[in-house]
Amino acid sequence: MADEIAVIGGVDTHTEFHQAAVIDSIGRHLATEAFPTTHDGYRRLLEWLRSHGEVMAVGVEGTGAYGSELARLLRASQVTVIEVDRPDRRARRAGGKSDPIDAFAAATAVLSGRASGTPKTRDGIVEAIRALRVVRRSAVKARTQIINQIRTLIITAPGEIRERLRTLAPAELIKQLSRSRPGTDTRDPACAVRIALRRLARRHQYLTEEIADADAELKSLVAEAAPSLIALPGVGIETAAQLLITAGDNPERLASEASFAHLCAAAPIQASSGRTNRHRLNRGGDRRANHALHMIALVRMRYDQRTQNYVARRTAEGMSKKDILRCLKRFIAREVYQHLTPPTTYRNHSHRPLDAL
């Protein structure tokens, strides 16, 4: 009889174990159990779910973090995976907090329709791009910290060192410091400063090489993943990579270009009151994707004649720069979406040229 019952699973994910729960089609709690975060544990979790009936779907918290491997195994086993957000704090205070409660809440969210998002597959070229960009971002951040540390050391260095180095451009400064011979007397403050500067300069050079290698790898991957995207005005490798990561390896999970714009925090938010009818910037969504759209808009405002004409027209109409940027980012999101998904998935009814905005 068990295999005739339709059941829905819910999983509260953690580092060492996942708490699973199962409910039937009318929301009755059937069972809950914890499983280790190993391949064997994931397999046992799936078998346990199936032992209660036909698994219609499984709601998983953290499909982009602790639950990523479990989500991959479930999809490979032809099980529908639904991404579940963590319950808000108010609901948790009212209903209590424990791992079984959270697991049942994930299953209930799927049954009620409150959770319906399709998670990223994280098994294609876009996942490779994401992994490489993690290293590149940390290298860029560390390199910036190094040049700031060098400048700080120069400011407080003895006079002969400060006067010789303070006016050098960053590239020449790194070159000279990396080739310097500071001596070995670390008890002498001046010698210690020179040693520290040379080490920082060489670390800066190493990170520069690492960033260059990552750039070359990312350029090849992005060109393979979305060649038409990087051909758009103002779209570079970095911005294209971020937009690909935001959409994921399965951008068809996004219902329309409007949903992609909302994901990128480029969808307009109503801010009307009384006789005022206006929209404001959206401060939610994926902030890195929003920043990518912002950078594309700035580049186009400077170098793209069509965008410059649009900005001039909107400015003459009395629109503020923030509102113009909001409109431009919304248009760019619409344009980008067409190059992220196959043509058959694009909802053409909402397409408008820039001049019509």
Side-chain angles (χ1 to χ4, degrees), residues 268-274 276-281 283 323:
I269 302 297
Q270 279 282 357
S272 302
S273 177
T276 302
N277 183 16
R278 63 178 294 271
H279 295 80
R280 67 167 177 82
L281 296 172
R283 294 177 176 83
D323 284 336

Side-chain angles (χ1 to χ4, degrees), residues 93-236:
R93 284 196 298 269
K97 168 72 177 78
S98 72
D99 294 337
I101 288 175
D102 289 345
F104 277 121
T108 304
V110 174
L111 178 62
S112 66
R114 183 176 62 83
S116 58
T118 302
K120 298 177 182 179
T121 57
R122 298 182 180 273
D123 57 2
I125 191 170
V126 174
E127 180 64 11
I129 292 172
R130 187 193 67 83
L132 291 173
R133 284 195 79 241
V134 169
V135 179
R136 186 189 183 281
R137 282 199 307 272
S138 65
V140 170
K141 183 177 180 180
R143 188 177 64 173
T144 302
Q145 291 175 334
I146 287 171
I147 196 67
N148 291 337
Q149 289 168 345
I150 289 174
R151 292 296 190 190
T152 301
L153 280 174
I154 290 174
I155 290 173
T156 58
E160 67 275 11
I161 299 176
R162 184 175 64 255
E163 294 303 321
R164 182 169 56 87
L165 300 175
R166 65 191 302 180
T167 59
L168 295 179
E172 183 63 26
L173 178 63
I174 296 299
K175 182 178 178 181
Q176 286 197 19
L177 290 177
S178 64
R179 294 179 177 179
S180 64
R181 297 185 177 183
T184 58
D185 185 8
T186 56
R187 295 176 61 85
D188 178 17
C191 180
V193 168
R194 288 193 289 266
I195 291 173
L197 288 172
R198 183 178 66 171
R199 288 176 179 172
L200 287 172
R202 291 183 174 180
R203 189 184 302 173
H204 186 283
Q205 289 179 327
Y206 174 80
L207 289 173
T208 299
E209 293 177 3
E210 185 177 300
I211 293 168
D213 291 342
D215 285 339
E217 294 162 348
L218 286 170
K219 183 177 181 180
S220 175
L221 291 174
V222 172
E224 180 182 347
S228 61
L229 178 60
I230 56 176
L232 294 175
V235 180

Side-chain angles (χ1 to χ4, degrees), residues 225-277:
S228 61
L229 178 60
I230 56 176
L232 294 175
V235 180
I237 298 300
E238 271 296 293
T239 51
Q242 179 55 62
L243 294 171
L244 284 168
I245 292 168
T246 299
D249 281 299
N250 51 333
E252 63 277 2
R253 70 195 177 90
L254 302 170
S256 66
E257 56 87 16
S259 63
F260 176 69
H262 187 76
L263 178 62
C264 295
I269 302 297
Q270 279 282 357
S272 302
S273 177
R275 297 181 180 180
T276 302
N277 183 16

Side-chain angles (χ1 to χ4, degrees), residues 2-120:
D3 59 351
E4 298 178 0
I5 301 175
V7 298
I8 296 173
V11 183
D12 181 30
T13 58
H14 298 275
T15 307
E16 301 297 334
F17 70 92
H18 293 338
Q19 186 75 35
V22 60
I23 63 175
D24 62 16
S25 58
I26 60 174
R28 291 179 299 188
H29 294 189
L30 301 181
T32 179
E33 189 169 336
F35 297 89
T37 54
T38 62
H39 182 76
D40 181 65
Y42 300 145
R43 181 184 55 79
R44 285 164 44 205
L45 187 154
L46 178 57
E47 291 176 353
W48 177 80
L49 289 173
R50 285 174 168 168
S51 70
H52 291 86
E54 181 184 358
V55 181
M56 306 302 295
V58 179
V60 181
E61 285 189 21
T63 58
Y66 297 131
S68 58
E69 183 60 24
L70 173 62
R72 278 192 283 264
L73 183 140
L74 292 174
R75 282 194 302 270
S77 302
Q78 307 303 313
V79 176
T80 300
V81 180
I82 303 297
E83 187 170 8
V84 178
D85 294 331
R86 185 180 65 177
D88 59 55
R89 295 182 184 275
R90 182 176 181 180
R92 282 191 166 184
R93 284 196 298 269
K97 168 72 177 78
S98 72
D99 294 337
I101 288 175
D102 289 345
F104 277 121
T108 304
V110 174
L111 178 62
S112 66
R114 183 176 62 83
S116 58
T118 302
K120 298 177 182 179

